[in-house]
Amino acid sequence: MALTTALALTTALTAQAQTQTPRSGGTIRFTAPYGSAFASLDIHTANRAQDEIWAKAIHRSLYNWDSFANKPVPELAKEVIASKDGMTYTFKLRDDAYFHNGRKMTADDIIWSFTRIMDGSKGYPGARYVRLIKGAVEVEKGQAKEISGLKKIDDFTLEMTLTEKTDPGFSFYLSTTAIYPAKEAQQPDYFSKPIGLGPYKFTEHVPGSRMVVDKWEKFYKPGKPYADKVVISLMGEASARDVAFRNKEIDVSILGPTQYVAYQADPNLSKGLLEVAEVYTRVMGMNPTFKPFADKRVRQAINYAIDADLIIKRLVRDKAYRASGWLPLSSPSFDKDKKPYPYDPEKAKKLLVEAGYPDGFEFEWTATSNESWGIPIVEAIIPMLAKVGVKVKIKPVEGTVLSEVVRKGEYQAYIWSNTSGPDPLASMKCFHSATPQSACNYTLYKNPEVDKLIDEAGATDDAAKRVELLKQANNIVQDDAPMWFFNYNKAVMAYQPWLKGLQPNATELAIQYYEDIWVDASSPAAK
């Protein structure tokens, strides 16, 4: 169902792009819907989709995500050559990529950016990807100053040696691995006025309100970007986005469950809905340093005690797919035969008794106000857990705070929406014991059998074998229950009739490549 929907939308959007001539000029009025602020103007520090939304205007990484082909494609390289053993890649870099101060990008900027990301004292989220390069871990541990697997051949040729056989495109398309200008990024005012390689240059940031970027005339893609300006408004409240969209003050709005139902029923608004099955898994993470959650039986009891199907139907309004583990429906390693934890409060009680908690226990649950995976969901779960003797105290936090709390392990339990694709190997590494909590092993998961399966998957040349190994690892993680596996997200974006060029981005629908978007003459901001 999810894949069929995505395919139909991709076909429709591709046909639209082929039959319309893009128009230059005007302003794109975008929204950042996942909080009331951006975490930082240093995108290397921010691992939230909220920040990726503005970063795609200003920055670029080695690769982009092609939403129509559903795969990574080279962005800052004209050619990528892989060695016969699949361990070394040679990047023939673009010689027409200019930073917003007019300087050309070179191999030195890439090497500096990746080396910065591997600063072990900072815990940059992009380190989980750069760690795949030979010698990166040594830099992270302070044992080396340079990444041995990165070699500059000349200004526009870079050689990268990996530690395992994998497509580097899956690791280097996110803005957490964006390429910064090496010298300029070390200046004290860089992160108040960031300089990147993207289609738009930074103009203004009003904290809690908006970011404004203007067209970069030297962008390396001929004729792009189309629009003169992009205004990204911070709108964490669904009701505020709904009012602004209906008043034609913004061009797009990510819909929550309530708006989804309302927009589907409206004969006009229903014409502008883009639906995509995203590679995101909503989970409740349990901290094993909090004694009850150190016991597998307690974690399993939590999974049995929650009626996830009822919550998806009543609260999420079916704008989601029930999760049967970590990897999403679109993953090649998704096991269609693996069933979710059934709702079974009696089994939950039995497991709690076996674990030594016949009277239950109490824990603190950290959550944001997000209606799809935040406090409203927790509030619905509280009486379900109470039936098995488990009490919950909610700790509300803002969206920008949640990511830091989780990465630092400063929680007993959290509920969040996390990237679980598109590459199953990279995604499953979040459960490898060698992956630090600051990267994505948020629940400090550790299982030697899972480590072995993931390592074997990274070493094999056999694609089918890799799929099977990761499927096994995913199933073991589900059984170990470091998380309550809630749902896989169905993302829905409402868009105005004058906005063209949107991409069905399954990695995060709210993240768009702005250079491909344009507004026709009917837009209120066409001039």
Side-chain angles (χ1 to χ4, degrees):
M1 178 180 171
L3 296 178
T4 301
T5 302
L7 179 60
L9 288 167
T10 299
T11 303
L13 289 173
T14 302
Q16 179 193 74
Q18 292 174 343
T19 58
Q20 295 178 315
T21 301
R23 172 185 177 276
S24 296
T27 299
I28 296 169
R29 302 169 304 168
F30 220 75
T31 51
Y34 302 127
S36 60
F38 294 125
S40 171
L41 296 191
D42 179 359
I43 193 59
H44 285 174
T45 70
N47 65 336
R48 300 188 313 140
Q50 178 84 341
D51 298 282
E52 190 94 359
I53 290 169
W54 70 260
K56 286 303 182 193
I58 294 175
H59 292 294
R60 278 296 181 266
S61 303
L62 265 181
Y63 288 78
N64 271 358
W65 184 259
D66 185 330
S67 297
F68 295 99
N70 207 34
K71 66 179 183 179
V73 292
E75 174 68 9
L76 295 178
K78 296 182 293 185
E79 184 181 8
V80 181
I81 305 167
S83 62
K84 289 184 178 181
D85 65 0
M87 299 294 283
T88 300
Y89 287 77
T90 301
F91 295 86
K92 299 290 185 179
L93 303 175
R94 305 188 71 107
D95 58 4
D96 58 352
Y98 291 87
F99 289 106
H100 299 152
N101 63 350
R103 181 174 72 76
K104 277 189 179 184
M105 177 202 73
T106 69
D108 291 320
D109 297 302
I110 298 174
I111 292 172
W112 183 87
S113 296
F114 286 173
T115 304
R116 177 184 192 255
I117 291 169
M118 292 312 300
D119 183 340
S121 67
K122 298 297 196 312
Y124 291 120
R128 63 180 283 201
Y129 304 111
V130 181
R131 196 175 287 115
L132 295 171
I133 303 174
K134 182 180 179 181
V137 171
E138 284 73 17
V139 172
E140 184 177 38
K141 294 179 177 178
Q143 298 170 353
K145 293 184 178 180
E146 298 179 352
I147 299 175
S148 61
L150 290 177
K151 182 180 179 181
K152 175 185 175 182
I153 306 301
D154 57 46
D155 279 352
F156 301 106
T157 308
L158 176 70
E159 186 179 274
M160 178 188 295
T161 301
L162 306 176
T163 58
E164 60 186 45
K165 297 174 182 179
T166 186
D167 182 349
F170 285 105
S171 297
F172 301 120
Y173 73 90
L174 291 170
S175 294
T176 50
T177 60
I179 306 307
Y180 284 178
K183 295 180 181 178
E184 295 85 338
Q186 298 179 65
Q187 300 303 311
D189 64 341
Y190 177 80
F191 296 113
S192 61
K193 297 179 181 179
I195 296 170
L197 294 160
Y200 291 90
K201 57 185 178 180
F202 176 85
T203 300
E204 177 188 42
H205 174 224
V206 180
S209 178
R210 66 183 181 277
M211 181 178 287
V212 181
V213 294
D214 285 311
K215 183 176 183 177
W216 173 231
E217 298 292 348
K218 286 189 175 182
F219 188 56
Y220 46 80
K221 294 181 180 178
K224 296 183 179 181
Y226 301 116
D228 292 332
K229 186 187 298 289
V230 179
V231 177
I232 304 171
S233 299
L234 286 150
M235 290 189 177
E237 292 295 328
S239 57
R241 293 196 304 276
D242 181 42
V243 171
F245 188 83
R246 290 175 183 271
N247 289 338
K248 302 179 180 180
E249 297 168 357
I250 55 177
D251 294 336
V252 298
S253 178
I254 292 292
L255 303 185
T258 303
Q259 281 72 35
Y260 179 49
V261 173
Y263 280 48
Q264 281 182 313
D266 189 293
N268 291 316
L269 295 176
S270 61
K271 296 176 182 177
L273 296 181
L274 176 56
E275 301 181 20
V276 174
E278 286 185 334
V279 288
Y280 273 79
T281 303
R282 275 74 180 272
V283 298
M284 165 202 179
M286 291 171 262
N287 194 334
T289 64
F290 176 65
K291 186 178 178 181
F293 292 149
D295 193 309
K296 172 180 173 179
R297 293 167 296 186
V298 172
R299 302 192 303 267
Q300 289 177 328
I302 296 294
N303 276 270
Y304 283 117
I306 302 173
D307 191 344
D309 289 320
L310 180 63
I311 295 171
I312 291 172
K313 184 175 182 62
R314 296 285 179 83
L315 283 183
V316 188
R317 308 293 184 92
D318 287 324
K319 200 184 80 65
Y321 307 95
R322 176 72 193 280
S324 57
W326 177 249
L327 295 177
L329 292 166
S330 57
S331 174
S333 292
F334 175 79
D335 188 348
K336 64 180 182 357
D337 296 321
K338 187 70 171 179
K339 302 299 182 184
Y341 278 87
Y343 176 53
D344 191 341
E346 291 306 314
K347 188 165 187 176
K349 290 178 183 178
K350 182 179 178 181
L351 284 167
L352 288 172
V353 170
E354 292 176 1
Y357 298 95
D359 300 319
F361 60 93
E362 182 175 351
F363 72 92
E364 183 179 76
W365 197 339
T366 302
T368 71
S369 61
N370 189 289
E371 65 174 322
S372 297
W373 47 264
I375 291 174
I377 303 300
V378 175
E379 289 175 338
I381 292 171
I382 288 175
M384 297 178 184
L385 293 180
K387 287 182 179 180
V388 300
V390 177
K391 298 179 181 179
V392 174
K393 180 180 179 182
I394 299 176
K395 181 180 180 180
V397 296
E398 217 281 327
T400 53
V401 176
L402 179 64
S403 60
E404 289 304 306
V405 167
V406 174
R407 287 173 59 205
K408 293 178 180 178
E410 297 172 348
Y411 68 89
Q412 291 179 358
Y414 67 85
I415 187 166
W416 203 9
S417 180
N418 295 130
T419 304
S420 50
D423 178 22
L425 177 58
S427 183
M428 286 308 300
K429 282 196 172 182
C430 290
F431 297 94
H432 195 291
S433 62
T435 302
Q437 189 170 46
S438 61
C440 64
N441 190 1
Y442 304 130
T443 60
L444 297 171
Y445 181 80
K446 190 174 185 179
N447 184 321
E449 186 179 359
V450 171
D451 285 354
K452 181 180 178 182
L453 289 167
I454 294 173
D455 290 341
E456 289 180 5
T460 184
D461 290 324
D462 187 333
K465 182 180 179 181
R466 180 182 298 114
V467 165
E468 186 58 34
L469 289 167
L470 294 174
K471 184 183 293 184
Q472 292 176 39
N474 186 51
N475 289 343
I476 292 171
V477 170
Q478 189 221 24
D479 184 60
D480 283 343
M483 301 166 168
W484 165 58
F485 299 102
F486 181 22
N487 68 54
Y488 308 123
N489 183 41
K490 179 200 290 185
V492 182
M493 175 185 282
Y495 61 92
Q496 302 287 7
W498 52 75
L499 189 68
K500 315 294 182 181
L502 290 171
Q503 307 113 46
N505 187 356
T507 68
E508 168 57 65
L509 186 55
I511 298 171
Q512 296 282 317
Y513 289 99
Y514 299 102
E515 65 268 28
D516 295 323
I517 304 175
W518 54 282
V519 293
D520 69 26
S522 66
S523 168
K527 294 182 179 180

